[in-house]
Structure formats: C-alpha cells, structure tokens
Amino acid sequence: MKIAFISDIHGNAVALEAVLNDIKQNEIDKIYVLGDLCYRGPEPKRSLELIRSLNTEVIKGNADEWVVRGVREGEVPQKVIELMNVERDWTFSKLEASDIAYLAKLPTSINCEVNGIRINAFHATPDSLFEIVLPNVDDAGLQSSLMSSQDAQIYVYAHIHKAYIRHLNGKVLMNVGSVGLPFDGVTKASYGLIEIEEGKLKTSIQRVDFDAERVIELYRDVDYPNAEMMSGIVRNARV
C-alpha cells in the first residue's frame, strides 16, 4: 500500500498538477490532503477543483480558515496583516459560495489505520491550525507538541513548508513540506510518501519539478496583489 500526503498547495495549480502526475506514475494507492489549498497563489479556483476531483479526505489548514473569515490580529505580524487581507480578499473573489462553504466545513485531522499501522495527520499541530513547530525542536518538544494526542505509529503534519522525517521512540514523525510554496531553498514541489507492505514500513519525501516561471507569469497575468514578493518565493523557495 502506497499513501501520499500532500499539503500547502497555496493556489499553485501548476505545481499541484506536477505532483499529481508524479503520484500517478508512482502508482500510489491513496492520497490525503493536509490543507492550505487556495490562498496566496494565482489559481485558487483551479487548485481547489483539482483537490476536490480527487474524492479523498481533505483537512483544513490555517490559510483555508483565512479564506473563509479573513486574517485576524495576532495571527500574523501586525505590519503584514493589511496586505495579507488584500490577498485574502482577492482569493475570496475568485471562489464561489459553494467553495467557501466547502473550506469552512473541512475537518482538522485524519486518523486512519493501514495494514495495522495507525496514522495521525493534521495541518500544524493536533490542537492548532496556526502553531509553528520547526524541525530543529528537540525530541521532547516534538513529542509534546505533535505526538501526544493519538496512539499512532506515524504522525504527519505540514504548515512549515520544510519537509523532514524524524524517528522518535519507535515512531515516525513526518512533515510533508509544500506542493506550491517550498521554503527550504529547493525549487521543487514536495510531498510525503508512506509505503506499508507485509509488516514493513518505509517513509520518504518526494520532490517534483514544476514550471516555476509559468507560475510567476500567472501572478502577473491575473494581477495578483503582492505578485512581486510571491514570485520571489516561488523562484527561490525561500521567504
């Protein structure tokens, strides 16, 4: 059984298509989606349509919550909140009422069992859509923040746009990185892969090429607010 976890598409349908093609070529059996579907990319509607066409389990990320109700004080630095809400309003304007209702109703976690292996997946932490847990946190911090809410063998999250895998006390913690806006300096889309077969478990991070210059062109074509900064992130894979 091959399971892909994708997340943080952020309206980058070009990268999402590349990842979905890679998943198909790898003959992956199941896809789970860990949130942040539309906001901050040039193609929010098409990205959401691609995700919904998968007919799979999707959970909510902080950016999905922002599309629904806006960015609030205390959730981002005060100096950027106005601009981020301009971007949010632009994204909101490209979606239909049914899309907003879909985002609003998304659950916040996935708990599944595959061939006896229990998996707990969420966007940022089990208790928050917004908390940031980076890969340099010590083992105790990772366990208390990310691995205490469910009795699972594998814990999967996203949100930070930096993929990694850690093994703690016989369990696996995986961050799947970002499809649309990687922040780790590697200008390739990222997703997590779990393979379970006859009691054997394998986890890996997959990196996929996509046409970054086409995405940058789209930011300009659609007159996206804050296009220059977002184009720089796409081109350099850094904030």
Side-chain angles (χ1 to χ4, degrees):
M1 183 74 169
K2 293 182 179 180
I3 309 168
F5 288 85
I6 68 174
S7 190
D8 293 85
I9 294 96
H10 288 286
N12 185 345
V14 172
L16 177 57
E17 283 184 323
V19 164
L20 294 178
N21 286 335
D22 191 75
I23 286 172
K24 183 177 181 180
Q25 291 172 8
N26 283 333
E27 298 181 336
I28 289 170
D29 301 293
K30 179 73 174 177
I31 304 172
Y32 291 107
V33 185
L34 304 187
D36 282 9
L37 311 180
C38 307
Y39 176 59
R40 305 208 92 178
E43 295 187 280
K45 178 69 172 177
R46 191 160 80 91
S47 297
L48 184 55
E49 288 173 345
L50 285 168
I51 291 298
R52 296 186 72 172
S53 73
L54 298 175
N55 294 314
T56 191
E57 290 182 60
V58 182
I59 61 174
K60 183 185 290 186
N62 61 296
D64 306 310
E65 181 74 1
W66 284 337
V67 171
V68 171
R69 49 80 163 166
V71 185
R72 296 175 179 170
E73 289 192 10
E75 293 174 344
V76 298
Q78 187 65 35
K79 65 182 180 181
V80 301
I81 191 169
E82 182 177 355
L83 177 57
M84 289 187 70
N85 270 316
V86 170
E87 292 181 70
R88 176 266 174 187
D89 292 346
W90 182 92
T91 302
F92 188 92
S93 74
K94 303 302 178 183
L95 302 176
E96 299 175 16
S98 59
D99 299 323
I100 303 303
Y102 171 82
L103 294 174
K105 293 178 181 178
L106 287 174
T108 57
S109 66
I110 292 169
N111 294 287
C112 60
E113 185 170 322
V114 180
N115 296 341
I117 302 294
R118 293 184 301 279
I119 302 171
N120 177 215
F122 39 86
H123 182 71
T125 75
D127 303 315
S128 171
L129 297 177
F130 300 94
E131 186 177 351
I132 295 172
V133 182
L134 295 173
N136 59 356
V137 174
D138 62 26
D139 288 359
L142 291 176
Q143 288 177 306
S144 63
S145 298
L146 302 172
M147 304 173 71
S148 61
S149 65
Q150 297 287 333
D151 183 18
Q153 282 84 36
I154 306 175
Y155 296 83
V156 186
Y157 79 115
H159 188 50
I160 61 173
H161 297 217
K162 295 182 178 183
Y164 72 94
I165 297 173
R166 292 266 287 272
H167 296 84
L168 304 172
N169 296 330
K171 299 186 176 186
V172 179
L173 174 64
M174 170 190 286
N175 187 288
V176 302
S178 173
V179 169
L181 288 174
F183 288 172
D184 58 3
V186 180
T187 54
K188 296 174 183 272
S190 173
Y191 71 94
L193 178 60
I194 297 173
E195 300 176 67
I196 303 171
E197 185 176 356
E198 297 180 354
K200 295 181 180 179
L201 172 65
K202 180 181 178 181
T203 57
S204 59
I205 302 297
Q206 306 296 306
R207 302 306 293 250
V208 181
D209 287 316
F210 69 92
D211 189 348
E213 292 305 316
R214 174 57 183 155
V215 180
I216 291 166
E217 183 180 83
L218 284 167
Y219 275 116
R220 293 194 299 266
D221 289 348
V222 301
D223 197 25
Y224 185 83
N226 202 22
E228 183 176 353
M229 189 193 86
M230 297 310 300
S231 295
I233 295 173
V234 170
R235 180 175 284 121
N236 301 310
R238 294 192 185 281
V239 181

